[in-house]
Amino acid sequence: MKSLFKSLVLVMLVLAASAPVFAVSESAVLFLLISPGARASGMGEAFVGLADDATAVFWNPAGLAFQTGRELTLMHANWLPQFGTDLFYEFAAYRHHVEGVGTFGANITYLNLGKQYQTLDTPDPVGEFTSYEFGISATYGTLLSENWGVGLGLRFIRSALSPMGAGSEVGDGKADAFAFDASTLYRFPFAPKLSLGINLSNMGPKITYIDASQADPLPTNLKLGFAYKLVNNKYNKLTFVADMNKLMV
């Protein structure tokens, strides 16, 4: 079992290392990298090695494997309020455990980019529209052993930036894409307070707004981290966590 775990970790790292590298500015739908959850944000966004609540659908779907019962989490945030009152971010996640099968999760991420104005040769607007992006995900986590969980996620992405192209471009600023996540979470038998998590997220084909030659890569991201529960009793909890993130595009 240890050999299988090491092999899985090695395969995920090789996939990450062999992925094509682009400039950050070349990737699209960066809203997929916005970190949800007040708890995880308060922990410095280091949560992949812990992932013990419904936000595991984002941080590490393998964390669902160790969770039972049902949980719903909701989040609303005014996004960059200094630039406008109509920018906001929404996140909703739900998990449901099925005995003998595993734990299923679903989440919706929505970013409203506000009202935009169309202009021609003059600064006066000739039309207006609203820009937004959203992703709908289904995730699944299951235990391969008492200490080892794996997780998978499938995501539909919709980006609606503009109903028209820029200048003479054929097409518009709307595009759809699919992506998937693969993750693992391992709790060491010789150190039950220590866990290691890995999540390779947003893998998939490029997203196309105008044509294939102008397609943009998805923000594929590798998260690796661990958590160590220094104190874990009825009245006090103290956990040390550390994460490493590598944006592959």
Side-chain angles (χ1 to χ4, degrees):
M1 189 61 70
K2 291 182 179 179
S3 298
L4 186 59
F5 174 72
K6 292 178 180 178
S7 299
L8 179 62
V9 172
L10 180 61
V11 168
M12 296 182 70
L13 293 176
V14 169
L15 286 174
S18 61
V21 178
F22 303 87
V24 173
S25 60
E26 293 183 14
S27 62
V29 291
L30 289 173
F31 78 100
L32 295 175
L33 298 178
I34 298 175
S35 302
R39 181 183 174 210
S41 297
M43 295 171 64
E45 300 182 356
F47 208 62
V48 68
L50 193 58
D52 59 356
D53 60 27
T55 62
V57 297
F58 172 87
W59 295 101
N60 186 350
L64 295 174
F66 296 93
Q67 301 180 39
T68 59
R70 293 173 290 180
E71 182 182 359
L72 172 67
T73 182
L74 303 172
M75 176 180 176
H76 166 82
N78 293 327
W79 194 248
L80 302 176
Q82 64 270 31
F83 294 110
T85 58
D86 56 351
L87 306 178
F88 58 87
Y89 169 81
E90 308 282 0
F91 177 85
Y94 176 74
R95 71 133 197 269
H96 185 95
H97 178 71
V98 178
E99 191 66 33
V101 178
T103 303
F104 296 87
N107 81 280
I108 299 176
T109 302
Y110 178 85
L111 180 64
N112 186 78
L113 296 169
K115 184 180 294 185
Q116 317 291 336
Y117 296 95
Q118 179 186 7
T119 60
L120 297 176
D121 296 330
T122 65
D124 297 325
V126 297
E128 62 181 50
F129 56 91
T130 299
S131 300
Y132 63 89
E133 294 179 306
F134 68 83
I136 301 175
S137 305
T139 54
Y140 171 70
T142 187
L143 291 172
L144 296 185
S145 71
E146 183 181 355
N147 301 300
W148 183 19
V150 294
L152 295 172
L154 179 64
R155 182 171 298 107
F156 170 75
I157 305 162
R158 172 69 167 171
S159 179
L161 302 180
S162 169
M164 75 286 291
S168 60
E169 288 183 330
V170 178
D172 54 30
K174 297 180 180 179
D176 300 328
F178 287 92
F180 70 96
D181 305 341
S183 63
T184 185
L185 184 64
Y186 188 73
R187 295 177 176 176
F188 295 89
F190 59 86
K193 295 182 179 181
L194 177 65
S195 58
L196 171 69
I198 304 175
N199 183 22
L200 190 57
S201 59
N202 302 321
M203 295 179 287
K206 294 181 178 180
I207 185 169
T208 302
Y209 290 94
I210 304 299
D211 53 52
S213 64
Q214 301 182 62
D216 300 304
L218 300 180
T220 303
N221 188 59
L222 172 67
K223 299 187 187 79
L224 186 151
F226 69 89
Y228 186 80
K229 297 181 178 180
L230 298 171
V231 180
N232 187 27
N233 57 47
K234 182 178 179 180
Y235 301 103
N236 300 285
K237 295 181 184 295
L238 178 61
T239 304
F240 180 77
V241 294
D243 271 20
M244 179 204 75
N245 279 274
K246 180 174 175 59
L247 187 62
M248 309 309 298
V249 295

